[in-house]
Amino acid sequence: MTISAAVSVEPHARNTLVDYAPGLVLVAVITAAAYGVRHLPFMSPLSPMILAIFVGMLFANVVGSNASASMGVSLSGKRLLRLAVALLGFQISFAQLGDIGVRGVGLAALGLFSTFLFTVWMGRLLGVDRNLSHLLAAGTSVCGASAIAAANAVTGADDEDLSYAVACITLFGTIAMFLYPFLNLLAGLPGHLYGLWVGLSVHEVAQVVGAGFQGGVQAGEIAVVTKLTRIMMLAPLVIGLSFFVSRPSRKTAGTARQTPLVPFFVIGFVVLAALNSLGIVPESVRGPIVAATPVLLTAAMAALGLGTSVSKLRQHGLPPLLLAGMASVFIAGVSFLMVSLVP
């Protein structure tokens, strides 16, 4: 069976577990490797999700995978990805909004949407592919790799676009994690404002923890809560992006829209967040799901890494990297001005 034949299997074909097993096993191995690599020196600041996509890319481009693995890899990179994003809702509680107040929520919303719009606009000026601009905008404005994965579920970007976006967000988020504590020595923000600044602007949750707690326990706790508030805004952002992406397909005669206006995984995210906020889900159920969700996301990223060609990544050139850097500087600057000037 060739790769093209494996990928073109009809949706209603009766595929068996044997058909998916090689790819699922390969994804599981890459996922386990990502968790193992994290224990190496200097790797602990990187999340397993980020490491999985790089380990998958390394395996695919150096070792290569058999065509029989394509079905399981495709399943992990698409359906498993949407399931994992939906399950993130169990980690969100509306009560968290009260911890930073109306001011904090307003600043988070303003920073998020202004950064997203700035990145998309600047992407057009730099000639960056629209789908890649959307992924970079989501990753910078919301929550790094998880937001990129959610945005990719509605944009339908290539695996190379997703891998490039994750690499950019990882680079600039890691720089921010080490740079923010030193910048605050010059800025002199008190602990609670420093934590708010970090939570409003740093990309990955792990990076927020790393940078936030450098300013003390209070700063770290505020940074994490603010970051979670940004993650809560993932749903409305993806819904808006889905509407924006769907518009061109309505203008194309005879072509049905490929994605629903409100993706089902976003609905699941909101419903699970609401259930978690109401506290009606037993901890015996919620706990294992919360623990498993990062593993599922890591597996999905491993699958996307396995589908990425390094030679195609090189075709992107420097403009997307420049765009990611400009977006990171923008959200850092806007967030700093907001926490400094808004009473």
Side-chain angles (χ1 to χ4, degrees):
M1 181 182 292
T2 63
I3 293 178
S4 59
V7 173
S8 61
V9 173
E10 292 297 326
H12 301 293
R14 294 182 178 178
N15 300 315
T16 65
L17 181 60
V18 174
D19 297 318
Y20 291 106
L24 294 176
V25 170
L26 178 58
V27 168
V29 170
I30 300 297
T31 301
Y35 277 93
V37 168
R38 197 184 186 198
H39 293 288
L40 296 176
F42 308 109
M43 291 296 182
S44 57
L46 300 178
S47 72
M49 287 186 291
I50 292 170
L51 293 172
I53 200 166
F54 290 126
V55 173
M57 287 172 57
L58 182 65
F59 184 92
N61 290 275
V62 175
V63 180
S65 60
N66 192 280
S68 62
S70 61
M71 290 179 62
V73 171
S74 178
L75 178 70
S76 300
K78 294 178 181 178
R79 296 183 182 179
L80 184 62
L81 174 61
R82 289 167 172 79
L83 171 63
V85 173
L87 292 177
L88 283 173
F90 270 132
Q91 302 182 34
I92 302 298
S93 170
F94 297 142
Q96 293 163 346
L97 299 177
D99 293 337
I100 62 172
V102 175
R103 172 176 177 265
V105 174
L107 294 181
L110 180 59
L112 187 154
F113 289 105
S114 63
T115 300
F116 188 91
L117 294 175
F118 169 82
T119 308
V120 172
W121 171 70
M122 187 57 63
R124 291 178 181 175
L125 295 182
L126 294 175
V128 177
D129 177 76
R130 187 180 74 158
N131 283 342
L132 181 52
S133 293
H134 289 160
L135 298 184
L136 290 171
T140 304
S141 61
V142 187
C143 54
S146 297
I148 291 172
N152 182 63
V154 298
T155 62
D158 295 335
D159 287 349
E160 286 75 22
D161 287 343
L162 188 142
S163 298
Y164 195 104
V166 169
C168 290
I169 295 304
T170 301
L171 172 64
F172 292 107
T174 302
I175 291 174
M177 181 178 64
F178 292 107
L179 189 59
Y180 271 49
F182 292 102
L183 290 177
N184 197 46
L185 293 177
L186 301 175
L189 292 175
H192 67 287
L193 290 183
Y194 171 72
L196 188 60
W197 180 36
V198 170
L200 288 174
S201 55
V202 177
H203 304 334
E204 290 279 344
V205 173
Q207 296 160 352
V208 168
V209 172
F213 280 94
Q214 290 299 314
V217 175
Q218 181 191 32
E221 291 175 348
I222 291 176
V224 171
V225 172
T226 305
K227 180 62 176 178
L228 292 175
T229 302
R230 283 170 66 194
I231 296 175
M232 292 180 68
M233 298 177 185
L234 177 63
L237 179 68
V238 172
I239 292 172
L241 181 59
S242 176
F243 174 76
F244 179 77
V245 169
S246 71
R247 288 189 301 171
S249 61
R250 288 202 291 260
K251 297 178 182 178
T252 304
T255 301
R257 186 167 59 204
Q258 296 298 314
T259 56
L261 186 57
V262 181
F264 293 119
F265 74 90
V266 175
I267 297 174
F269 176 92
V270 174
V271 169
L272 294 181
L275 292 176
N276 189 47
S277 300
L278 294 172
I280 59 178
V281 179
E283 186 60 28
S284 59
V285 174
R286 176 187 171 276
I289 293 176
V290 169
T293 299
V295 180
L296 297 178
L297 279 170
T298 301
M301 289 297 174
L304 293 168
L306 287 168
T308 300
S309 168
V310 172
S311 61
K312 291 183 179 180
L313 280 178
R314 292 174 183 155
Q315 298 174 6
H316 288 301
L318 291 178
L321 182 65
L322 177 60
L323 175 61
M326 295 174 68
S328 297
V329 171
F330 179 87
I331 194 171
V334 166
S335 299
F336 180 81
L337 289 176
M338 289 191 301
V339 300
S340 301
L341 302 178
V342 177

